[in-house]
């Protein structure tokens, strides 16, 4: 019975992970996914701990990897605790139950690691874009500085400048 629950859980986790890669959380969804209050999530956004964009309707759109980088997911923990309480009632299968609990724990760690990797990849891409922009700015600045240093305008003598000729 516990094996059936774990299989369903793993299938749901896989489905959730694929759906999360294409969708972003609203503020309410982010709060329920982490077990935190909406104001806690909003405060983290305002303090810069989590980056989020505002959608067309003015509501926050939070990338799951960005959210779970700061706040771990709560759903996997509650399912693991539920499976453990069911396992305690069915003591003869303790080795299977402990293996399932370990599998659930490893699945959670893997999901967090994948989300963290996605966040770092996005951060790396943003930094590469910034570096490219700064190089372009530096190149254009060098041209202007060289032009200013090589000022080839004819110099007028002091007397002609005073007499305005």
């Amino acid at each position: 019975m516990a094996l059936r629950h774990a299989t369903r859980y793993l299938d749901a986790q896989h489905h959730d992970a694929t759906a999360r890669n294409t969708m972003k959380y609203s503020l309410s969804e982010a709060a329920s996914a982490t077990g935190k209050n909406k104001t806690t999530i909003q405060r983290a956004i305002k303090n810069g701990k989590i980056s989020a964009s505002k959608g067309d309707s003015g509501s926050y759109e939070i990338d799951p990897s960005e959210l779970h980088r700061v706040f771990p997911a709560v759903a996997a923990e509650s399912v693991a605790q539920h499976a453990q309480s069911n396992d305690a009632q069915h003591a003869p299968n303790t080795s299977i139950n402990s293996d399932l609990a370990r599998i659930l724990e490893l699945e959670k760690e893997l999901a967090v690691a994948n989300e963290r990797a996605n966040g770092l990849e996005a951060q790396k891409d943003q930094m590469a874009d910034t570096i490219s922009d700064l190089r372009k700015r530096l190149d254009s600045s060098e041209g202007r500085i060289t032009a200013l240093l090589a000022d080839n305008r004819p110099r007028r003598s002091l007397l002609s400048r005073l007499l305005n000729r």
Side-chain angles (χ1 to χ4, degrees):
M1 178 158 188
L3 181 61
R4 216 173 321 133
H5 288 294
T7 305
R8 281 190 212 144
Y9 169 73
L10 293 175
D11 289 343
Q13 282 293 86
H14 176 70
H15 181 267
D16 288 348
T18 356
R20 264 190 263 155
N21 287 339
T22 58
M23 295 177 28
K24 294 189 176 200
Y25 288 139
S26 68
L27 193 59
S28 299
E29 291 169 337
S32 64
T34 59
K36 303 291 181 191
N37 195 319
K38 289 190 328 186
T39 54
T40 303
I41 304 295
Q42 193 170 22
R43 193 178 315 117
I45 292 169
K46 287 183 179 179
N47 292 338
K49 292 181 182 176
I50 300 173
S51 64
S53 58
K54 285 207 174 187
D56 296 334
S57 63
S59 61
Y60 282 112
E61 294 179 346
I62 306 165
D63 189 65
S65 63
E66 182 66 17
L67 175 70
H68 296 303
R69 178 180 60 81
V70 177
F71 300 110
V74 77
E77 293 172 7
S78 64
V79 171
Q81 289 171 354
H82 179 71
Q84 288 175 350
S85 67
N86 282 345
D87 292 344
Q89 295 171 359
H90 305 286
N93 296 327
T94 55
S95 67
I96 292 173
N97 295 336
S98 65
D99 290 345
L100 288 175
R102 181 70 179 142
I103 288 171
L104 293 175
E105 183 181 320
L106 290 172
E107 281 288 324
K108 178 184 170 191
E109 288 178 22
L110 179 62
V112 169
N114 285 338
E115 290 171 0
R116 186 170 289 148
N118 290 340
L120 290 173
E121 185 70 28
Q123 187 178 10
K124 182 192 78 144
D125 292 342
Q126 183 182 9
M127 291 177 131
D129 291 344
T130 302
I131 289 170
S132 175
D133 180 53
L134 290 173
R135 283 187 177 144
K136 288 176 186 174
R137 289 181 185 188
L138 179 63
D139 290 343
S140 74
S141 296
E142 286 175 349
R144 286 184 290 192
I145 289 171
T146 304
L148 288 172
L149 291 175
D151 187 10
N152 293 330
R153 291 183 295 178
R155 294 215 172 242
R156 296 183 338 184
S157 69
L158 180 60
L159 185 60
S160 70
R161 280 185 281 179
L162 289 175
L163 295 176
N164 221 2
R165 292 186 184 176

